[in-house]
Coordinates of all heavy atoms in Angstrom, one line a residue:
A11 N 107.4 125.2 98.6 CA 106.6 124.4 97.7 C 105.2 124.3 98.2 O 105.0 124.1 99.4 CB 107.2 123.1 97.5
R12 N 104.2 124.4 97.4 CA 102.8 124.2 97.8 C 102.5 122.8 97.9 O 103.0 121.9 97.2 CB 101.9 124.9 96.8 CG 101.9 126.4 96.9 CD 100.9 127.0 96.0 NE 99.8 126.2 95.6 CZ 99.1 126.4 94.6 NH1 99.3 127.4 93.9 NH2 98.1 125.6 94.3
L13 N 101.6 122.5 98.9 CA 101.2 121.1 99.1 C 100.0 120.8 98.3 O 99.1 121.7 98.0 CB 100.9 120.9 100.6 CG 102.0 121.1 101.6 CD1 101.4 121.1 103.0 CD2 103.1 120.1 101.4
S14 N 99.8 119.6 97.8 CA 98.6 119.2 97.1 C 97.5 119.0 98.0 O 97.6 118.9 99.3 CB 98.9 117.9 96.3 OG 99.0 116.8 97.3
T15 N 96.3 118.9 97.5 CA 95.1 118.7 98.3 C 95.2 117.5 99.1 O 94.8 117.4 100.3 CB 93.8 118.7 97.4 OG1 93.7 119.9 96.7 CG2 92.6 118.6 98.3
F16 N 95.7 116.4 98.5 CA 95.8 115.1 99.2 C 96.7 115.2 100.4 O 96.4 114.8 101.5 CB 96.3 114.0 98.3 CG 96.4 112.7 98.9 CD1 95.3 112.0 99.3 CD2 97.7 112.2 99.3 CE1 95.5 110.8 99.9 CE2 97.8 111.0 99.9 CZ 96.7 110.3 100.3
S17 N 97.9 115.9 100.2 CA 98.8 116.0 101.4 C 98.3 116.9 102.4 O 98.5 116.6 103.6 CB 100.2 116.4 100.9 OG 100.1 117.7 100.3
I18 N 97.6 117.9 102.1 CA 97.0 118.8 103.1 C 95.9 118.0 103.8 O 95.7 118.1 105.0 CB 96.4 120.1 102.4 CG1 97.6 120.9 101.9 CG2 95.5 120.8 103.4 CD1 97.2 122.1 101.1
H19 N 95.1 117.2 103.0 CA 94.0 116.4 103.6 C 94.6 115.5 104.6 O 94.1 115.4 105.7 CB 93.3 115.7 102.5 CG 92.4 114.6 103.0 ND1 91.3 114.9 103.7 CD2 92.5 113.3 103.0 CE1 90.7 113.8 104.1 NE2 91.4 112.8 103.6
T20 N 95.6 114.8 104.3 CA 96.2 113.8 105.3 C 96.8 114.5 106.4 O 96.8 114.0 107.6 CB 97.2 112.9 104.6 OG1 98.2 113.7 104.0 CG2 96.6 112.0 103.6
Q21 N 97.4 115.7 106.2 CA 98.0 116.5 107.3 C 97.0 117.0 108.3 O 97.2 116.9 109.5 CB 98.8 117.6 106.7 CG 99.6 118.4 107.8 CD 100.3 119.6 107.1 OE1 100.3 119.7 105.9 NE2 100.9 120.4 107.9
Y22 N 95.9 117.6 107.8 CA 95.0 118.2 108.7 C 93.8 117.4 109.1 O 93.1 117.7 110.1 CB 94.4 119.5 108.0 CG 95.5 120.6 107.9 CD1 96.0 120.9 106.6 CD2 96.0 121.2 109.0 CE1 97.0 121.9 106.5 CE2 97.0 122.2 108.9 CZ 97.5 122.5 107.6 OH 98.4 123.4 107.5
T23 N 93.5 116.3 108.4 CA 92.3 115.6 108.8 C 92.6 114.2 109.3 O 91.8 113.3 109.4 CB 91.4 115.4 107.5 OG1 92.1 114.7 106.5 CG2 90.9 116.7 107.0
H24 N 93.9 114.0 109.7 CA 94.3 112.7 110.2 C 93.5 112.3 111.5 O 93.0 111.2 111.6 CB 95.8 112.6 110.5 CG 96.3 111.3 111.0 ND1 96.2 110.2 110.3 CD2 96.7 111.0 112.3 CE1 96.7 109.2 111.0 NE2 97.0 109.6 112.2
N25 N 93.3 113.2 112.4 CA 92.6 112.9 113.6 C 91.1 113.4 113.6 O 90.5 113.5 114.7 CB 93.3 113.5 114.8 CG 94.7 112.8 115.0 OD1 94.8 111.6 114.8 ND2 95.6 113.6 115.4
M26 N 90.6 113.8 112.5 CA 89.3 114.4 112.4 C 88.2 113.3 112.3 O 88.5 112.2 111.9 CB 89.3 115.2 111.1 CG 88.0 115.9 110.9 SD 88.0 116.7 109.3 CE 89.5 117.5 109.3
A27 N 87.1 113.7 112.8 CA 85.9 112.7 112.7 C 85.7 112.4 111.2 O 85.8 113.3 110.3 CB 84.7 113.4 113.3
K28 N 85.4 111.1 110.9 CA 85.3 110.7 109.5 C 84.2 111.4 108.8 O 84.3 111.7 107.6 CB 85.1 109.2 109.5 CG 86.3 108.4 109.9 CD 86.0 106.9 109.8 CE 87.2 106.2 110.3 NZ 86.9 104.7 110.3
K29 N 83.1 111.8 109.5 CA 82.0 112.5 108.9 C 82.4 113.9 108.4 O 81.7 114.4 107.5 CB 80.8 112.6 109.8 CG 80.4 111.2 110.4 CD 79.1 110.8 109.7 CE 78.7 109.5 110.3 NZ 77.7 108.9 109.6
C30 N 83.4 114.5 109.0 CA 83.8 115.8 108.6 C 84.8 115.9 107.5 O 85.2 116.9 107.0 CB 84.3 116.6 109.8 SG 83.1 116.8 111.1
N31 N 85.3 114.7 107.0 CA 86.3 114.7 106.0 C 85.8 115.3 104.7 O 86.5 116.0 104.0 CB 86.8 113.3 105.7 CG 87.7 112.8 106.7 OD1 88.3 113.6 107.5 ND2 87.9 111.5 106.8
E32 N 84.5 115.0 104.3 CA 84.0 115.6 103.1 C 83.9 117.1 103.2 O 84.2 117.8 102.2 CB 82.6 115.0 102.9 CG 82.0 115.4 101.5 CD 80.7 114.7 101.3 OE1 80.5 113.6 101.8 OE2 79.9 115.3 100.5
A33 N 83.5 117.6 104.3 CA 83.4 119.1 104.5 C 84.8 119.7 104.4 O 85.0 120.8 103.8 CB 82.7 119.4 105.8
A34 N 85.8 119.0 105.0 CA 87.2 119.5 105.0 C 87.7 119.5 103.6 O 88.4 120.5 103.2 CB 88.0 118.7 105.9
L35 N 87.5 118.5 102.9 CA 88.0 118.4 101.5 C 87.4 119.4 100.6 O 88.0 120.0 99.7 CB 87.8 117.0 100.9 CG 88.8 115.9 101.4 CD1 88.4 114.6 100.8 CD2 90.2 116.3 100.9
S36 N 86.1 119.7 100.7 CA 85.4 120.7 99.9 C 85.9 122.1 100.2 O 86.1 122.9 99.4 CB 83.9 120.6 100.0 OG 83.5 121.0 101.3
L37 N 86.2 122.3 101.5 CA 86.8 123.6 101.9 C 88.2 123.8 101.3 O 88.6 124.8 100.8 CB 86.9 123.7 103.4 CG 87.6 125.0 104.0 CD1 86.9 126.2 103.5 CD2 87.6 124.9 105.5
L38 N 89.0 122.7 101.4 CA 90.4 122.8 100.9 C 90.4 123.0 99.3 O 91.1 123.7 98.8 CB 91.2 121.5 101.2 CG 91.6 121.4 102.7 CD1 92.2 120.0 102.9 CD2 92.5 122.5 103.1
A39 N 89.5 122.3 98.7 CA 89.4 122.4 97.2 C 88.9 123.8 96.8 O 89.4 124.4 95.9 CB 88.4 121.4 96.7
C40 N 88.0 124.4 97.6 CA 87.6 125.8 97.3 C 88.7 126.7 97.6 O 88.9 127.7 96.8 CB 86.4 126.1 98.2 SG 85.8 127.8 98.0
M41 N 89.4 126.6 98.6 CA 90.5 127.5 99.0 C 91.6 127.4 97.9 O 92.3 128.4 97.6 CB 91.1 127.2 100.4 CG 90.2 127.6 101.5 SD 89.8 129.4 101.5 CE 91.3 130.1 101.7
E42 N 91.9 126.2 97.3 CA 92.9 126.1 96.3 C 92.6 126.9 95.1 O 93.5 127.3 94.3 CB 93.1 124.6 95.9 CG 94.0 123.9 96.9 CD 94.3 122.5 96.3 OE1 93.6 122.0 95.5 OE2 95.4 122.0 96.7
K43 N 91.3 127.2 94.8 CA 90.8 127.9 93.6 C 90.8 129.4 93.9 O 90.6 130.2 92.9 CB 89.5 127.4 93.2 CG 89.5 126.0 92.8 CD 88.1 125.5 92.5 CE 88.0 124.0 92.2 NZ 86.7 123.5 92.1
T44 N 91.0 129.9 95.1 CA 90.9 131.3 95.4 C 92.1 132.0 94.8 O 93.2 131.5 94.6 CB 90.9 131.6 96.9 OG1 92.0 131.1 97.5 CG2 89.6 131.0 97.5
P45 N 92.0 133.3 94.4 CA 93.1 134.1 93.8 C 94.3 134.2 94.8 O 95.4 134.3 94.4 CB 92.5 135.4 93.6 CG 91.0 135.2 93.5 CD 90.7 134.1 94.3
C46 N 93.9 134.2 96.1 CA 95.0 134.3 97.1 C 96.0 133.1 97.0 O 97.2 133.3 97.0 CB 94.4 134.2 98.5 SG 95.5 134.3 99.9
V47 N 95.5 131.9 96.7 CA 96.4 130.8 96.5 C 97.0 130.7 95.1 O 98.2 130.5 94.9 CB 95.7 129.5 96.9 CG1 96.5 128.2 96.6 CG2 95.2 129.5 98.4
T48 N 96.1 130.9 94.1 CA 96.6 130.7 92.8 C 97.5 131.8 92.3 O 98.5 131.6 91.6 CB 95.4 130.6 91.8 OG1 94.5 131.7 91.9 CG2 94.6 129.3 92.1
H49 N 97.1 133.1 92.5 CA 97.9 134.2 92.0 C 98.9 134.8 92.9 O 100.0 135.1 92.5 CB 97.0 135.3 91.5 CG 96.0 134.9 90.5 ND1 96.4 134.4 89.3 CD2 94.7 135.0 90.4 CE1 95.4 134.1 88.5 NE2 94.3 134.4 89.2
Q50 N 98.6 134.9 94.2 CA 99.5 135.4 95.2 C 100.4 134.4 95.8 O 101.3 134.8 96.5 CB 98.7 136.1 96.3 CG 97.8 137.3 95.8 CD 97.0 137.8 96.9 OE1 97.2 137.5 98.1 NE2 96.0 138.7 96.6
K51 N 100.2 133.1 95.5 CA 101.1 132.0 95.9 C 101.2 131.9 97.4 O 102.3 131.6 97.9 CB 102.4 132.1 95.2 CG 102.4 132.2 93.7 CD 101.9 130.9 93.1 CE 102.0 131.1 91.6 NZ 101.1 130.1 90.9
K52 N 100.2 132.3 98.2 CA 100.2 132.1 99.6 C 99.7 130.7 100.0 O 99.1 130.1 99.2 CB 99.3 133.1 100.3 CG 99.7 134.6 100.1 CD 98.8 135.5 100.9 CE 99.2 136.9 100.8 NZ 98.2 137.8 101.4
S53 N 100.0 130.3 101.2 CA 99.6 129.0 101.6 C 98.1 129.1 101.9 O 97.5 130.2 102.1 CB 100.3 128.5 102.8 OG 99.9 129.3 104.0
I54 N 97.4 127.9 102.0 CA 96.0 127.9 102.3 C 95.8 128.4 103.7 O 94.8 129.1 103.9 CB 95.5 126.5 102.1 CG1 95.5 126.1 100.6 CG2 94.0 126.3 102.7 CD1 95.0 124.7 100.3
E55 N 96.6 128.1 104.6 CA 96.5 128.6 106.0 C 96.5 130.1 106.0 O 95.7 130.7 106.7 CB 97.6 128.1 106.9 CG 97.4 126.7 107.4 CD 98.5 126.2 108.3 OE1 98.9 127.1 109.2 OE2 98.9 125.1 108.2
E56 N 97.5 130.7 105.3 CA 97.5 132.2 105.3 C 96.3 132.8 104.7 O 95.8 133.8 105.2 CB 98.7 132.6 104.5 CG 100.1 132.3 105.1 CD 101.2 132.6 104.2 OE1 101.1 132.5 102.9 OE2 102.3 132.9 104.7
C57 N 95.8 132.2 103.6 CA 94.6 132.7 103.0 C 93.3 132.5 103.9 O 92.4 133.4 103.9 CB 94.4 132.0 101.7 SG 95.6 132.4 100.5
M58 N 93.3 131.5 104.7 CA 92.1 131.3 105.5 C 92.1 132.2 106.7 O 91.0 132.5 107.2 CB 92.1 129.8 106.0 CG 91.7 128.9 105.0 SD 91.4 127.2 105.6 CE 89.9 127.4 106.5
R59 N 93.2 132.8 107.1 CA 93.3 133.7 108.2 C 92.7 135.1 107.7 O 92.3 135.9 108.6 CB 94.7 133.9 108.7 CG 95.2 132.7 109.5 CD 96.5 133.0 110.1 NE 97.0 131.8 110.7 CZ 98.1 131.1 110.4 NH1 98.8 131.6 109.4 NH2 98.4 130.0 111.0
D60 N 92.8 135.4 106.4 CA 92.3 136.6 105.9 C 90.8 136.5 105.5 O 90.5 135.7 104.6 CB 93.1 137.0 104.7 CG 92.7 138.4 104.2 OD1 91.9 139.1 104.8 OD2 93.3 138.8 103.1
P61 N 89.9 137.1 106.2 CA 88.4 136.9 105.9 C 88.0 137.3 104.5 O 87.1 136.8 104.0 CB 87.7 137.7 107.0 CG 88.7 138.6 107.6 CD 90.1 138.0 107.3
I62 N 88.7 138.3 104.0 CA 88.3 138.8 102.6 C 88.8 137.8 101.6 O 88.0 137.5 100.7 CB 89.0 140.2 102.4 CG1 88.4 141.2 103.3 CG2 88.8 140.6 100.9 CD1 89.1 142.5 103.3
E63 N 89.9 137.2 101.8 CA 90.4 136.2 100.8 C 89.6 134.9 100.8 O 89.5 134.2 99.8 CB 91.9 135.9 101.0 CG 92.8 137.1 100.8 CD 92.9 137.5 99.4 OE1 92.5 136.8 98.5 OE2 93.4 138.6 99.1
S64 N 89.1 134.5 102.0 CA 88.4 133.2 102.1 C 86.9 133.4 102.0 O 86.2 132.5 102.2 CB 88.7 132.6 103.5 OG 88.3 133.4 104.6
D65 N 86.5 134.6 101.6 CA 85.0 134.9 101.5 C 84.3 134.0 100.5 O 83.2 133.5 100.8 CB 84.8 136.3 101.2 CG 83.4 136.7 101.3 OD1 82.8 136.4 102.4 OD2 82.8 137.4 100.4
P66 N 84.9 133.7 99.4 CA 84.1 132.8 98.4 C 83.9 131.4 99.0 O 83.0 130.7 98.6 CB 85.1 132.7 97.2 CG 86.0 133.8 97.3 CD 86.1 134.1 98.8
C67 N 84.7 131.0 100.0 CA 84.5 129.7 100.6 C 83.8 129.7 101.9 O 83.8 128.7 102.7 CB 85.9 129.1 100.8 SG 86.9 129.0 99.3
L68 N 83.1 130.7 102.2 CA 82.4 130.9 103.5 C 81.4 129.8 103.7 O 81.3 129.2 104.8 CB 81.8 132.3 103.6 CG 81.2 132.6 105.0 CD1 82.3 132.6 106.0 CD2 80.6 134.0 104.9
P69 N 80.6 129.4 102.7 CA 79.6 128.3 103.0 C 80.3 127.0 103.3 O 79.8 126.3 104.2 CB 78.9 128.1 101.6 CG 79.0 129.5 101.0 CD 80.4 130.0 101.4
M70 N 81.4 126.7 102.7 CA 82.1 125.4 103.0 C 82.8 125.5 104.4 O 82.9 124.6 105.1 CB 83.2 125.1 101.9 CG 82.7 124.5 100.7 SD 81.7 125.5 99.7 CE 82.8 126.6 98.9
R71 N 83.3 126.7 104.7 CA 83.9 126.9 106.0 C 82.8 126.8 107.1 O 83.1 126.2 108.1 CB 84.5 128.3 106.0 CG 85.4 128.5 107.2 CD 86.1 129.9 107.1 NE 87.2 129.9 108.0 CZ 88.2 130.7 108.0 NH1 88.3 131.6 107.0 NH2 89.1 130.7 108.9
N72 N 81.6 127.3 106.9 CA 80.6 127.2 107.9 C 80.1 125.7 108.0 O 79.9 125.2 109.1 CB 79.4 128.0 107.5 CG 79.7 129.5 107.8 OD1 80.5 129.9 108.5 ND2 78.9 130.4 107.1
A73 N 80.1 125.0 106.9 CA 79.7 123.6 107.0 C 80.7 122.8 107.7 O 80.4 121.9 108.6 CB 79.6 123.0 105.5
Y74 N 82.0 123.1 107.5 CA 83.0 122.4 108.3 C 83.0 122.7 109.8 O 83.1 121.9 110.6 CB 84.4 122.8 107.7 CG 85.6 122.2 108.5 CD1 85.8 120.8 108.4 CD2 86.4 123.0 109.2 CE1 86.8 120.2 109.1 CE2 87.5 122.4 109.9 CZ 87.7 121.0 109.9 OH 88.7 120.5 110.6
Y75 N 82.7 124.0 110.1 CA 82.6 124.4 111.5 C 81.4 123.7 112.2 O 81.6 123.2 113.3 CB 82.5 125.9 111.6 CG 82.1 126.4 113.0 CD1 83.0 126.5 114.0 CD2 80.7 126.6 113.3 CE1 82.7 126.8 115.3 CE2 80.4 127.0 114.6 CZ 81.3 127.1 115.6 OH 81.0 127.4 116.8
N76 N 80.3 123.7 111.5 CA 79.1 123.0 112.0 C 79.3 121.5 112.2 O 78.9 121.0 113.2 CB 77.9 123.3 111.2 CG 77.4 124.7 111.3 OD1 77.6 125.4 112.3 ND2 76.8 125.2 110.2
C77 N 80.1 120.9 111.3 CA 80.4 119.5 111.5 C 81.2 119.3 112.7 O 81.0 118.4 113.5 CB 81.0 119.0 110.2 SG 81.4 117.2 110.2
K78 N 82.3 120.0 112.8 CA 83.2 119.9 114.0 C 82.5 120.2 115.3 O 82.7 119.5 116.3 CB 84.4 120.7 113.8 CG 85.4 120.3 112.7 CD 86.0 119.0 113.0 CE 87.0 119.1 114.0 NZ 87.7 117.8 114.3
H79 N 81.7 121.3 115.2 CA 80.9 121.7 116.4 C 79.9 120.6 116.8 O 79.7 120.3 118.0 CB 80.2 123.0 116.2 CG 79.5 123.5 117.4 ND1 80.1 124.0 118.5 CD2 78.2 123.6 117.7 CE1 79.2 124.4 119.4 NE2 78.0 124.1 118.9
G80 N 79.3 120.0 115.8 CA 78.3 118.9 116.1 C 79.0 117.7 116.7 O 78.4 116.9 117.5
A81 N 80.3 117.4 116.4 CA 81.0 116.3 117.0 C 81.3 116.5 118.4 O 81.4 115.5 119.2 CB 82.3 116.0 116.2
L82 N 81.3 117.8 118.9 CA 81.6 118.1 120.3 C 80.4 118.2 121.1 O 80.4 118.2 122.3 CB 82.5 119.3 120.4 CG 83.8 119.3 119.7 CD1 84.5 120.6 119.8 CD2 84.7 118.2 120.4
D83 N 79.2 118.4 120.5 CA 78.0 118.7 121.2 C 77.4 117.3 121.7 O 77.2 116.4 120.9 CB 77.0 119.3 120.2 CG 75.7 119.8 120.9 OD1 75.6 119.6 122.1 OD2 74.8 120.3 120.2
M84 N 77.3 117.2 123.0 CA 76.9 116.0 123.6 C 75.5 115.6 123.2 O 75.2 114.4 123.1 CB 76.9 116.1 125.2 CG 78.3 116.2 125.7 SD 79.4 114.8 125.2 CE 78.8 113.6 126.2
R85 N 74.6 116.5 122.9 CA 73.2 116.2 122.5 C 73.3 115.6 121.1 O 72.5 114.6 120.8 CB 72.4 117.4 122.4 CG 72.1 118.0 123.8 CD 71.4 119.3 123.7 NE 72.3 120.3 123.1 CZ 72.0 121.5 122.6 NH1 70.8 121.9 122.6 NH2 73.0 122.3 122.2
K86 N 74.2 116.0 120.3 CA 74.3 115.5 118.9 C 75.1 114.2 118.9 O 75.0 113.5 117.9 CB 74.8 116.5 117.9 CG 73.9 117.7 117.7 CD 74.4 118.7 116.7 CE 73.5 119.8 116.6 NZ 74.0 120.8 115.6
R87 N 75.9 114.0 119.9 CA 76.8 112.8 119.9 C 75.9 111.6 119.9 O 76.3 110.6 119.3 CB 77.7 112.9 121.1 CG 79.1 113.0 120.8 CD 79.9 112.8 122.0 NE 81.2 113.3 121.6 CZ 82.2 113.4 122.4 NH1 82.1 112.9 123.7 NH2 83.4 113.8 122.1
I88 N 74.9 111.6 120.6 CA 74.0 110.4 120.7 C 73.3 110.2 119.4 O 73.2 109.1 119.0 CB 72.9 110.6 121.9 CG1 73.7 110.8 123.2 CG2 71.9 109.5 121.9 CD1 72.8 111.2 124.3
R89 N 72.9 111.3 118.8 CA 72.2 111.1 117.5 C 73.1 110.9 116.3 O 72.7 110.5 115.2 CB 71.3 112.4 117.2 CG 70.2 112.6 118.2 CD 69.5 113.8 117.8 NE 69.1 114.5 119.1 CZ 69.0 115.8 119.3 NH1 69.4 116.6 118.3 NH2 68.7 116.2 120.4
G90 N 74.4 111.3 116.5 CA 75.4 111.2 115.4 C 75.6 112.5 114.8 O 74.8 113.4 114.9
V91 N 76.8 112.6 114.1 CA 77.2 113.9 113.5 C 76.4 114.0 112.2 O 76.3 113.0 111.4 CB 78.7 113.9 113.2 CG1 79.1 115.2 112.5 CG2 79.4 113.8 114.5
R92 N 75.8 115.2 111.9 CA 75.1 115.4 110.7 C 76.1 115.5 109.5 O 77.2 116.0 109.6 CB 74.3 116.7 110.7 CG 73.2 116.6 111.7 CD 72.4 117.9 111.7 NE 71.9 118.2 110.4 CZ 71.4 119.4 110.1 NH1 71.3 120.3 111.0 NH2 71.0 119.6 108.8
Q93 N 75.7 114.9 108.4 CA 76.6 115.0 107.2 C 76.1 116.2 106.4 O 74.9 116.5 106.3 CB 76.5 113.8 106.3 CG 77.3 112.7 106.9 CD 77.3 111.5 105.9 OE1 76.4 111.3 105.1 NE2 78.3 110.7 106.0
Y94 N 77.0 117.0 105.9 CA 76.7 118.2 105.1 C 77.0 118.1 103.7 O 77.9 117.5 103.3 CB 77.4 119.4 105.7 CG 77.0 119.8 107.1 CD1 77.6 119.3 108.2 CD2 75.9 120.6 107.3 CE1 77.2 119.6 109.5 CE2 75.4 120.9 108.6 CZ 76.1 120.4 109.6 OH 75.7 120.7 110.9

């Protein structure tokens, strides 16, 4: 059975920085609309591992990566995590 966006959100973003939640939700929402998930009935995780299948969501994926990377960067920690 496929998980809804809300259950995936709570599963994957439970320990995430609060500022990255918006980027994570937009990435999950985009991935749910890809043909890999809708037509091939694969999980979001499986589709994200395939670079061709997750290509339409590349901007959201980059925004999420930059948000998570910014949370680990000590220079940005003092200034705060940027919102995307």
Side-chain angles (χ1 to χ4, degrees):
R12 286 189 17 202
L13 300 173
S14 68
T15 302
F16 179 74
S17 63
I18 291 171
H19 167 69
T20 55
Q21 181 181 358
Y22 292 109
T23 62
H24 180 66
N25 295 324
M26 183 187 310
K28 290 180 183 178
K29 303 257 181 186
C30 297
N31 282 345
E32 187 176 331
L35 281 177
S36 65
L37 175 60
L38 289 173
C40 179
M41 287 303 296
E42 278 189 335
K43 296 175 187 173
T44 60
C46 179
V47 174
T48 56
H49 298 305
Q50 298 175 12
K51 306 293 185 200
K52 293 182 181 177
S53 71
I54 291 176
E55 279 186 40
E56 291 172 333
C57 294
M58 285 187 73
R59 286 188 188 116
D60 185 3
I62 294 170
E63 295 292 347
S64 64
D65 191 48
C67 303
L68 191 60
M70 279 69 76
R71 193 173 193 161
N72 287 338
Y74 177 67
Y75 169 79
N76 289 331
C77 183
K78 291 295 286 181
H79 183 71
L82 298 175
D83 188 1
M84 291 305 285
R85 292 172 292 167
K86 292 182 182 179
R87 247 189 195 177
I88 296 169
R89 296 181 217 142
V91 179
R92 292 180 57 191
Q93 286 186 332
Y94 294 94

